[in-house]
């Protein structure tokens, strides 16, 4: 069977799953795109079409930004059009088209078709590299018979090889154990001809799979083209499977030479050729996995095979062959440069001498060698004797031959010599990385014995075997075939005898070349030390007694300090066997002295020889041991860790940040006099950890409290004066991170830091490090006290060995756009430290750079940095270093305390309460500095900075807009304080319109206040006032809104209305609508809801109006009440309104889509004179005394039965009642308690003085009645304490009353409507509604308070608007 028939939905599902993972995983996606691009053309030399490269850029950019936002549909569409226009498809274009279609989510068929085209174009590439998951899901079930066919052929070939191997062996090989050879061992024992046959079989297998994949891909394309209909109708027939493809002549010609190549390959390195890797090693590197990648990621790169697979050796050894990353400024390279005066120590690859521990294990290794290699004397054997005289002459010895590789030293998986051997519970030994790869593939058995492994964790390194391998490597190093004279001072030959040179004409030269008697004594002493060193090294490497090994370490330390870093000593100690011996001591010893000495020696060796670093970094467990010792208190270990140059990612994984901080706090303690002080190494490593950890405090690897401790900051600041440039830069970056964590430590850092050494380092580092120095200096200037900031500026200006201003000017010319604003800001402040001259090259260049950065819209980050730099130039900062320019300008608006939160101005309170007051001298210095910086900016090219800021105010970047607004407002405000130079006119031309737009339409109240402050500065001269009147309507409208919260807005209103706040011109009303509804009787009630006007009439009609220009347009009309509608009440939370009528009903209405519909009817049993509603109840005034409380459930009760209520208002569960006897009560509906706001009066001469109208607004109660004894018809009460707040001495009878944000409207019985200021309670003007004989029955204002609607007794509805 060839598997189930594919369906349209199955094809879509499998390809969608494959593409979804590519879209979600950027690392995998980039790898596959690189593989596809490299595969196009012969050897990847073909140039891709421009359309393909442009599509690659569009798709990559769109998908890379998809992590933070949705991918751009326009980019993906453009990429699809480009790819579809190509004349011929390539693997890269097919993969890009599939990704673009999948990212746009426009159906799975186009994306699936592109994936299938990939298999039709290059089946091998798609199967192995690009889409193995799709191959497994779609193709593998169909091609299973082909795979089984070739698996049987492989098994047959393997069985033949096994029989040949068993027949050609010796007596032991023909035993039962030999006949049960495992498949892997058989493959490794194949002859050249058998290997060639296996290679031909594998090549044929790939060609057959390619042919079947192409045919099957076309078949699947037909199913896609048929669509869903293919599942109903008969699907097309699948193609026949192909089981054999003839090889071409070229392949056969290539194969003719293969046996010779195979035989030659099999003879190298002492092991047989393995055909399983012949093809595998040519495939290139697999997809790189991260340390914590999920299991199965490698399966995406290659489909599972039906024959045993082994880990390719190059995947395991390629990282070991690379040198550890020793950067330009790494500790190793720096220390090696310091030791360059002495002869360099030999590396592991160039050593010719054997290790001294070979004497103990030589016989064992010779016995393990093949019989064909007979033991022969080696020149290095003489070195095993402590007596140098017993060494034979090197020139008499035979040329050394390479020793054969013992089979016990070779990993059965990689066929390479062990680097990190581990012995499993089954007794078999493997390379650690190889067996880990075996287990990661899902295997749970030993590869050789096939016994199940019980533990998932691998055992420790087999150090005995590792030590033997290191010794064998030393012994097997080949010498040059032509003998050369050994260098003097090496361990290979004794020192030349002392000779005196005969007199010659060049006596100076002869005396210089002849050694002195003291050199002979020194050479003899060195030879004695070398002899003792050999014995100590031999004991260290061969002894099984820990105590003896520890004594050897101490002895080696003594000899090292006595002899110094001589070449002979260094050569003896830098061998891998000795290094591994020291590492074993670190693993096993518990003596603090021995551990310190071992780490000291390893650090000294690593600082002089790269081979030592390679040996230590070859095995991860060695580095882990050093980290564990450092965490336990062995501070010297940090020096060795630093010399190993781990990557920042590795440092974060080591989790030793707390130990680094502790070492830094300890100071410069270094009793061993190491090549690098532990504190210096800790500073260097901690800076890398902080950079890799990011700027997010929540995920920082270092606790915030540890970074901000006073002792830690003092110790790090001391490192700014270190002799090593790398330590200075690292300390500077740590301090910069402390400032970012908490700006309050900035002043402490500025006091403790000596900047001279940091300034001198500016000339010795690269551009990235230079910008870090500039940022550090720039941050130090953000101090609260101006005097302290100027001290730092003087230290920067005069502290270095070179002119810092000239240095910054030169650096500014080549700095990238994202660095230029900060460099320019620092340079400008240095120039302004003294009174600026008329012409200053530094100032002109700095200001011009800032302006150009503001104008450069191609670099938004540079624009924002330039605006932030200008915002910091006033020099006013909080104690945390936050610029106070914004809050200082907001204070000029004099925003009242109770309005700050509602106007989004709480920043004013925060800035004001955060810092204590500064002295008069500091305030004077700050003001003087602010004037100098503002003058430098505005005087450059006659206010060119305003043009740049105007463009920034048009930006859609909210952060850039806000920062630019602060800068523009500050500079315009400073123009009113600076001498008049004519720049104010240029600022007004560039910015006035932008400020008006911000004032009118800004979303945040603080932005509107800033624009108001800027406009106030323009009003200081006549031309500015004239230009503002052009936008007077927008300005006045916003100023009215801000007048209640800002004193500056009130002041500007008075200026714009000729000094009279209550002027009629300031509150001008224009009649905008008038409609006559006299046919429906009186207009009894009016409310606003959703920008519609609802009016109730005396004949029971309810009308809905929509305002349009100067006409009220009737939208809907309903007449369900049988008698007059007395009141309308709106419940905004439910978007409903209620009508009460004399027909003893309350109706609930909804208005949707232009249709008014009654949804509920409640019977009140009493005529409704007035109505107020809440969510669950309604209160209405009946015909008699009291107020009835009606629950929507049907229950009712009478409240305040002793009073005849005329008007009422319901707010937050409290009912306010105005009665006929002029009394005012508050009833708590929850508790039923009654409070008296105003006591009632008895009738005077039989006349009553009722409360006609009542309204609650902003916690104040407004009541209207006939004029009282004091002449006031309207009184204002505090709802909280019932106190009388104010009164309005109007002579008219306040029959109706409505309150807006700024005004109070009073309707009288003669049709007049008086307008009063709500804040001042002063009369502004009067409007006339209807004729003189009509009464104002009801009034309402819209939500913004801009429209007043009045209903009169003669049936008219009239509207006015503020202009």
């Amino acid at each position: 069977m060839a598997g189930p028939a594919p369906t349209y939905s199955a094809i879509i599902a499998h390809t969608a799953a494959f593409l979804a993972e590519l879209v979600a995983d950027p690392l995998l996606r980039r790898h596959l795109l690189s593989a596809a691009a490299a595969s196009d053309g012969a050897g990847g030399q073909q140039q891709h079409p421009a359309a393909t490269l442009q599509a690659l850029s569009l798709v990559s950019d769109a998908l890379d930004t998809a992590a933070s936002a949705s991918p751009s549909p326009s980019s993906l569409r453009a990429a699809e059009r480009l790819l579809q226009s190509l004349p011929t498809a390539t693997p890269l274009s097919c993969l890009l088209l599939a990704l673009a279609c999948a990212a746009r989510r426009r159906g799975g068929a186009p994306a699936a078709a592109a994936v299938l085209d990939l298999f039709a174009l290059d089946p091998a590439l798609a199967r192995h590299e690009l889409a193995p998951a799709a191959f497994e899901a779609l193709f593998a079930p169909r091609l299973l018979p082909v795979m089984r066919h070739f698996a049987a052929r492989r098994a047959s070939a393997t069985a033949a090889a096994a029989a040949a191997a068993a027949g050609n062996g010796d007596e032991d090989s023909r035993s039962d154990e030999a006949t049960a050879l495992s498949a892997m061992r058989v493959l490794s024992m194949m002859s050249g001809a058998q290997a060639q046959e296996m290679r031909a079989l594998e090549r044929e297998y790939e060609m057959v799979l390619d042919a079947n994949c192409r045919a099957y891909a076309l078949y699947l394309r037909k199913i896609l083209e048929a669509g869903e209909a293919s599942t109903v109708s008969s699907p097309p027939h699948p193609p026949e499977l192909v089981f054999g493809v003839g090889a071409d002549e070229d392949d056969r010609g290539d194969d003719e030479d293969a046996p010779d190549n195979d035989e030659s390959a099999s003879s190298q390195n002492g092991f047989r050729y393995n055909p399983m890797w012949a093809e595998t090693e040519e495939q290139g590197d697999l997809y790189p996995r991260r340390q914590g990648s999920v299991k199965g990621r490698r399966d995406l790169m290659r489909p599972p095979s039906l024959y045993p697979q082994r880990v390719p050796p190059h995947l395991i050894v390629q990282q070991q062959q690379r040198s550890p990353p020793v950067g330009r400024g790494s500790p190793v390279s720096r220390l090696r440069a310091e030791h360059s005066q002495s002869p360099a120590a030999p590396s592991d690859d160039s050593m010719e001498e054997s290790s001294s521990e070979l004497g103990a294990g030589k016989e064992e290794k010779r016995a393990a060698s093949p019989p064909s290699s007979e033991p022969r004397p080696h020149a290095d054997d003489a070195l095993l004797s402590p007596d140098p005289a017993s060494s034979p002459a090197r020139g008499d010895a035979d040329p050394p031959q390479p020793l054969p590789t013992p089979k016990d030293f070779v990993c059965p998986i990689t066929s390479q010599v062990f680097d990190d051997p581990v012995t499993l519970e089954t007794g078999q030994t493997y390379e650690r990385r190889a067996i880990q790869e075996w287990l990661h593939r899902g295997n749970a058995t030993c590869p050789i014995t096939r016994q199940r492994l019980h533990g998932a964790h691998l055992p420790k390194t087999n150090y005995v075997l590792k030590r033997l391998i290191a010794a064998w490597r030393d012994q097997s190093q080949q010498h040059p075939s032509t003998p050369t004279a050994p260098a003097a001072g090496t361990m290979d030959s004794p020192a030349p005898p002392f000779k005196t040179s005969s007199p010659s004409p060049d006596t100076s030269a002869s005396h210089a070349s002849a050694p002195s008697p003291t050199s002979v004594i020194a050479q003899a002493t060195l030879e004695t030390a070398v002899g003792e060193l050999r014995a100590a090294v031999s004991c260290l490497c061969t002894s099984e007694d820990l105590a003896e090994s520890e004594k050897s370490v101490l002895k080696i330390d003594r000899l090292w300090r006595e002899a110094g870093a001589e070449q002979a000593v260094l050569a003896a100690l830098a061998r891998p066997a000795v290094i591994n011996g020291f590492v074993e001591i670190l693993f096993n010893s518990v003596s603090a002295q021995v551990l310190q000495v071992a780490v000291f020696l390893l650090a000294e060796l690593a600082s002089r020889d790269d081979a030592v670093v390679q040996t230590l970094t070859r095995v991860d467990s060695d580095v882990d041991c050093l980290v564990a010792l450092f965490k336990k208190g062995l501070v010297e270990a940090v020096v060795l860790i630093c010399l190993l140059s781990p990557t920042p990612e590795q440092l974060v994984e080591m989790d030793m940040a707390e130990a680094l901080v502790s070492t830094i706090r300890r100071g410069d303690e270094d009793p061993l006099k190491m090549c690098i002080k532990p504190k210096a190494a800790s500073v260097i490593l901690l800076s890398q950890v902080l950079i890799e950890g990011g700027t997010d405090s929540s995920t920082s690897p270092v606790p915030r409290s540890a970074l901000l401790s006073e002792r830690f900051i003092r110790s790090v600041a001391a490192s700014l004066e270190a002799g090593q440039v790398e330590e200075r830069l690292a300390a500077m970056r740590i301090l910069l991170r402390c400032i970012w964590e908490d700006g309050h430590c900035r002043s402490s850092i500025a006091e403790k830091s000596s900047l001279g050494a940091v300034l001198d380092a500016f000339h010795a580092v690269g551009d990235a490090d230079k910008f870090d120095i500039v940022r550090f200096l720039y941050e130090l200037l953000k101090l609260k006290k101006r005097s302290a900031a100027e001290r730092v500026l003087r230290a920067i200006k005069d502290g270095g060995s070179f002119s810092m201003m000239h240095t910054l000017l030169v650096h500014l010319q080549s700095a990238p756009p994202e660095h230029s604003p900060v460099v320019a800001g620092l340079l400008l402040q240095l120039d302004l430290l003294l009174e600026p001259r008329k012409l200053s090259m530094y100032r002109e260049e700095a200001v011009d750079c800032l302006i150009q950065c503001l104008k450069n819209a191609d670099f938004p980050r540079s624009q924002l940095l330039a605006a932030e730099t200008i915002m910091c130039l006033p020099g006013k900062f909080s104690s945390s270093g936050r610029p106070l320019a914004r809050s200082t300008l907001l204070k000029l608006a004099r925003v009242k305390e109770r309005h700050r939160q509602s106007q989004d101005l709480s920043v004013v309170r925060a800035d004001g309460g955060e810092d204590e007051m500064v002295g008069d001298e500091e305030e004077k210095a700050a003001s003087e500095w602010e004037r100098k910086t503002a003058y430098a900016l505005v005087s450059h090219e006659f206010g060119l900075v305003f043009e740049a800021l105007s463009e920034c105010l048009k930006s859609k970047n909210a952060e850039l807009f806000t920062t630019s607004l602060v800068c523009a407002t500050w500079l315009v405000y400073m123009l009113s304080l600076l001498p008049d130079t004519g720049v104010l006119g240029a600022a007004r031309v560039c910015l006035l319109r932008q400020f008006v737009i911000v004032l009118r339409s800004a979303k945040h109240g603080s932005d509107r206040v800033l624009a108001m402050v800027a406009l106030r500065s323009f009003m200081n001269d006549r031309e500015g006032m004239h230009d503002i009147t052009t936008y007077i309507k927008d300005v006045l409208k916003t100023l009215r809104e801000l007048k209640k919260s800002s004193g500056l807005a009130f002041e500007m209103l008075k200026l714009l209305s000729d000094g009279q706040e209550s002027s009629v011109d300031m509150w001008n009303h224009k009649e905008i609508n008038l409609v006559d509804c006299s046919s429906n009787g009186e207009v009894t009630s009016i409310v606003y809801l959703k920008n519609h006007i609802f009016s109730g009439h005396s004949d029971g009609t309810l009308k809905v109006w929509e305002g349009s220009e100067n006409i009220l347009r009737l939208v809907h009309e309903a007449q369900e009440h049988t008698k007059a509608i007395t009141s309308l009440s709106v419940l905004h939370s439910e978007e409903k309104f209620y009508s009460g009528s004399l027909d003893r009903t309350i109706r609930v209405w909804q208005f949707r889509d232009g249709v008014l519909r009654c949804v509920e009817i409640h019977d009140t049993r009493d005529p409704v004179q007035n109505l107020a509603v809440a969510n669950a109840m309604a209160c209405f005034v009946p015909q008699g005394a009291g107020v009835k409380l009606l629950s929507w459930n049907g229950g009712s009760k009478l409240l305040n039965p002793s009073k005849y209520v005329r008007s009422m208002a319901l707010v937050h569960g409290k009912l306010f009642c105005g009665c006929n006897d002029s009394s005012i009560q508050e009833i708590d509906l929850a508790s039923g308690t009654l409070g008296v706001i105003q006591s009632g009066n008895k009738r005077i001469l039989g006349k009553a003085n009722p409360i006609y109208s009542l309204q609650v607004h902003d916690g104040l109660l407004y009541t209207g009645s006939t004029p009282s004894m004091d002449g006031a018809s309207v009184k204002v009460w505090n709802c909280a304490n019932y106190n009388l707040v104010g009164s309005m001495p109007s002579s008219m009878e306040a029959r109706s009353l409505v309150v807006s944000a700024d005004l109070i409207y009073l309707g009288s019985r003669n049709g007049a409507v008086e307008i009063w200021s709500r804040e001042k309670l002063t009369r502004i003007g009067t409007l006339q509604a209807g004729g003189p004989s009509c009464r104002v029955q009801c009034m309402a204002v819209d939500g913004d308070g801009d429209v007043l609607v009045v209903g009169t007794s003669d049936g008219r509805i009239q509207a006015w608007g503020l202009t």
Side-chain angles (χ1 to χ4, degrees), residues 929-1096:
W929 175 264
E930 189 176 14
R931 290 168 63 89
K932 288 196 295 185
T933 54
Y935 181 79
L937 289 171
V938 301
S939 61
H940 181 78
E941 296 190 11
F942 200 71
L944 185 61
V945 66
F946 296 114
E947 180 182 341
L949 289 173
S950 176
E951 295 298 322
C952 293
L953 288 177
K954 301 175 184 177
S955 172
K956 295 182 179 180
N957 186 328
E959 193 173 1
L960 175 61
F961 166 79
T962 302
T963 309
S964 302
L965 179 61
V966 174
C967 297
T969 303
W970 170 65
L971 290 175
V972 170
Y973 170 72
M974 291 303 299
L975 286 176
S976 62
L977 305 179
L978 295 172
D980 186 11
T981 58
V983 182
L984 184 61
R988 191 168 58 247
V989 171
C990 296
L991 294 174
L992 178 61
R993 185 172 183 275
Q994 294 297 326
F995 283 137
V996 172
I997 293 174
V998 174
L999 182 70
R1000 179 185 61 192
S1001 58
K1003 296 180 180 179
H1004 300 288
S1006 56
D1007 293 342
R1008 301 169 72 186
V1009 170
L1010 289 174
M1012 181 177 65
V1013 172
L1015 292 176
R1016 177 64 183 89
S1017 301
F1018 286 141
M1019 294 170 62
N1020 291 329
D1021 63 343
R1022 182 175 301 176
E1023 293 180 0
M1025 181 68 78
H1026 177 269
D1027 291 344
I1028 291 177
T1029 56
T1030 308
Y1031 310 97
I1032 190 66
K1033 180 177 180 180
D1034 294 328
V1035 172
L1036 284 178
K1037 179 179 179 180
T1038 307
L1039 290 178
R1040 291 191 190 105
E1041 297 174 0
L1042 297 176
K1043 181 176 66 70
K1044 62 182 179 180
S1045 58
S1046 170
L1048 181 63
F1050 181 74
E1051 175 185 329
M1052 294 174 66
L1053 278 173
K1054 289 197 297 184
L1055 289 175
L1056 293 174
S1057 57
D1058 297 329
Q1060 298 295 326
E1061 187 269 343
S1062 59
S1063 170
V1064 176
D1065 295 335
M1066 182 174 171
W1067 301 105
N1068 186 30
H1069 288 71
K1070 178 182 178 182
E1071 183 176 343
I1072 57 176
N1073 283 305
L1074 174 64
V1075 63
D1076 187 1
C1077 302
S1078 57
S1079 60
N1080 299 109
E1082 299 180 359
V1083 181
T1084 57
S1085 183
I1086 288 180
V1087 294
Y1088 254 101
L1089 179 65
K1090 287 185 176 181
N1091 297 323
H1092 288 81
I1093 301 172
F1094 297 83
S1095 61

Side-chain angles (χ1 to χ4, degrees), residues 319-333:
Q319 293 181 345
Q320 303 170 8
Q321 294 173 354
R322 299 193 188 107
S323 299
V326 181
R328 178 178 56 187
S330 66
V332 175
S333 60

Side-chain angles (χ1 to χ4, degrees), residues 1253 1255 1260-1277 1284-1300 1302-1307 1313-1326 1339:
S1253 53
Q1255 187 171 349
L1260 297 177
L1261 175 65
Y1262 297 83
T1263 59
S1265 62
T1266 56
S1268 58
M1269 299 290 294
D1270 56 2
S1273 60
V1274 177
K1275 294 183 178 179
V1276 185
W1277 310 83
L1284 181 64
V1285 176
S1287 60
M1288 297 165 53
S1290 174
S1291 60
M1292 61 179 290
E1293 185 178 73
R1295 288 279 180 167
S1296 61
L1297 178 149
V1298 66
V1299 183
S1300 68
D1302 301 297
L1303 303 174
I1304 303 173
Y1305 299 95
L1306 305 180
V1313 178
E1314 289 187 349
I1315 308 171
W1316 292 71
S1317 169
R1318 193 173 77 88
E1319 184 175 356
K1320 299 295 184 179
L1321 296 181
T1322 55
R1323 185 173 177 273
I1324 295 176
T1326 305
M1339 293 188 298

Side-chain angles (χ1 to χ4, degrees), residues 811-827:
H811 179 59
L812 184 62
Q813 307 302 322
S814 59
E818 59 271 15
H819 295 175
S820 300
V822 180
V823 180
L826 180 59
L827 179 60

Side-chain angles (χ1 to χ4, degrees), residues 398-607:
D398 294 333
Q401 299 294 330
L403 295 178
T405 305
K407 64 178 181 179
D408 294 331
F409 292 179
V410 178
C411 174
I413 298 180
T414 66
S415 295
Q416 299 288 333
V417 178
F418 287 117
D419 279 319
D420 188 6
V422 291
T423 301
L424 302 184
E425 58 197 59
T426 61
Q428 302 298 325
T429 305
Y430 303 96
E431 177 66 35
R432 181 181 295 275
R433 289 186 175 88
I435 192 63
Q436 283 179 341
E437 180 67 23
W438 169 268
L439 297 176
H440 287 166
R441 287 173 176 260
N443 302 296
T445 60
C446 175
I448 292 181
T449 65
R450 296 297 179 181
Q451 297 178 11
R452 177 167 293 277
L453 301 177
H454 299 291
H457 300 286
L458 295 178
K460 293 183 178 180
T461 302
N462 188 339
Y463 280 100
V464 175
L465 179 59
K466 184 177 179 181
R467 187 168 62 244
L468 294 175
I469 294 173
W472 169 80
R473 278 177 170 159
D474 287 340
Q475 188 178 3
S476 62
Q477 296 294 326
Q478 297 184 10
H479 293 278
S481 58
T482 303
T484 58
T490 64
M491 297 180 64
D492 301 80
S493 61
F498 172 72
K499 297 191 299 181
T500 58
S501 55
S502 59
S504 65
D506 191 2
T507 57
S508 61
S510 63
H511 285 294
S513 61
S516 64
T518 56
S519 66
V520 178
I521 298 174
Q523 183 65 31
T525 304
L526 176 61
E527 291 176 358
T528 303
V530 170
E532 295 180 12
L533 186 64
R534 292 193 190 99
V537 167
S538 178
C539 180
L540 172 65
C541 296
T542 60
S543 176
E544 299 294 336
D545 187 357
L546 179 61
E548 291 183 2
S549 299
E550 291 178 340
K551 292 180 181 178
S552 300
V553 172
L554 297 177
K555 186 176 181 180
I556 292 172
D557 174 60
R558 178 178 59 79
L559 294 172
W560 172 273
R561 295 182 184 275
E562 292 176 357
E566 293 291 339
Q567 183 179 2
V569 177
L570 187 60
L573 295 180
R575 297 185 181 90
V578 184
I579 300 303
N580 291 332
F582 284 129
V583 173
E584 279 195 69
I585 291 296
L586 296 180
F587 271 99
N588 299 315
S589 180
V590 294
S591 171
Q593 181 186 6
V594 173
L595 292 174
Q596 287 178 340
V597 168
V599 169
F600 166 76
L601 291 172
L602 287 174
E604 293 293 320
L605 295 172
S607 66

Side-chain angles (χ1 to χ4, degrees), residues 19 163 173 187 222 261 272 380 396 664 673 682 727 930 1207:
L19 293 173
S173 65
L187 291 173
K222 293 179 181 179
N261 297 336
R272 295 180 62 83
D380 291 339
D396 299 335
I664 294 173
K673 305 299 181 184
S682 298
E727 183 181 354
E930 189 176 14
S1207 58

